[in-house]
Amino acid sequence: QVQLVQSGAEVKKPGASVKVSCKASGYTFTTYDIHWVRQATGQGLEWMGWMNPHSGNTGYAQKFQGRVTMTRDTSISTAYMELSSLRSEDTAVYYCTRSPYPSDYWGQGALVTVSS
Amino acid sequence: DIVMTQTPLSSPVTLGQPASISCRSSQSLVHSDGNTYLSWLQQRPGQPPRLLIYKISNRFSGVPDRFSGSGAGTDFTLKISGVEAEDVGIYYCTQATQFPYTFGQGTKLEIK
């Protein structure tokens, strides 16, 4: 069965970077795009961008341009989302999800807390 | 960016009664390929979202038939024909017609 398993919770200081992983199983990793969505505590959902695991092509929401990088390692069927220059407003649960977007395949979420 | 506006933001419903959530987009969601990429998601506390409806009215596999979607262009509706206790959660509309993909603010469905 299709599964997306994300890395664990992280605590970072303002100005630091965080890299969240999303390991796919149960399907051919390079066949479907991976999207990243975040959700601040008690808030709504926010789409951050997508990556094509086959080509490595990416597309980011303008809000995150220059701060986010989505990459992958096809040898271990894992996608990554790195967010830099972290600020308190980046405290959120970060989800990976698979295409076709929106799908019913989501990671369990990774809580990133930004605090001094 | 396409702005998605949901109403109401909170919906207290009696068990067994119908519920309806509206979603309006700031521009047409009809894609150049002729499809309208408007979907509805349900999120229960502490869980990732779950896909209910895609392309306006297509129920995803395993979704009970009490959920239905309708609409066109910029106005869309999710209906639950008879609310059950397990339907409690937050419902989001989302568009995948144009980047960046965007979501409505969410509608909290609760039991009276």
Side-chain angles (χ1 to χ4, degrees), chain B residues 1 5 13 25 28 33-34 45-46 48-49 52 59-61 63 67 69 72 77 80 89 93 98-100 103 107:
Chain B
D1 297 3
T5 303
V13 182
S25 58
S28 173
D33 66 7
L52 296 176
R59 212 176 298 113
F60 187 70
S61 173
V63 173
F67 291 93
T77 302
I80 309 173
C93 60
Q98 180 185 114
F99 288 124
F103 295 88
T107 295

Side-chain angles (χ1 to χ4, degrees), chain A residues 4-7 20-24 29 34 36 77-80 96:
Chain A
L4 298 173
V5 179
Q6 297 185 231
S7 46
V20 179
S21 68
C22 173
K23 183 171 176 58
F29 177 63
I34 293 287
W36 291 88
S77 299
T78 299
Y80 301 94
C96 60

Side-chain angles (χ1 to χ4, degrees), chain B:
Chain B
D1 297 3
I2 296 177
V3 176
M4 308 294 288
T5 303
Q6 287 182 229
T7 53
L9 298 184
S10 178
S11 180
V13 182
T14 302
L15 284 173
Q17 292 300 301
S20 179
I21 301 170
S22 172
C23 176
R24 180 166 291 179
S25 58
S26 61
Q27 56 189 271
S28 173
L29 297 185
V30 179
H31 193 276
S32 56
D33 66 7
N35 289 305
T36 300
Y37 295 101
L38 183 283
S39 301
W40 290 94
L41 306 173
Q42 175 198 60
Q43 188 176 33
R44 294 177 175 136
Q47 298 290 316
R50 169 197 179 197
L51 178 62
L52 296 176
I53 303 283
Y54 62 96
K55 287 196 280 187
I56 301 178
S57 59
N58 295 274
R59 212 176 298 113
F60 187 70
S61 173
V63 173
D65 61 8
R66 63 180 180 275
F67 291 93
S68 64
S70 63
T74 61
D75 285 285
F76 307 93
T77 302
L78 174 71
K79 290 184 178 174
I80 309 173
S81 59
V83 170
E84 299 191 5
E86 66 180 21
D87 299 335
V88 166
I90 301 178
Y91 291 79
Y92 295 94
C93 60
T94 181
Q95 66 83 18
T97 292
Q98 180 185 114
F99 288 124
Y101 297 163
T102 48
F103 295 88
Q105 317 97 298
T107 295
K108 187 173 186 178
L109 184 74
E110 48 199 4
I111 305 299
K112 270 187 198 172

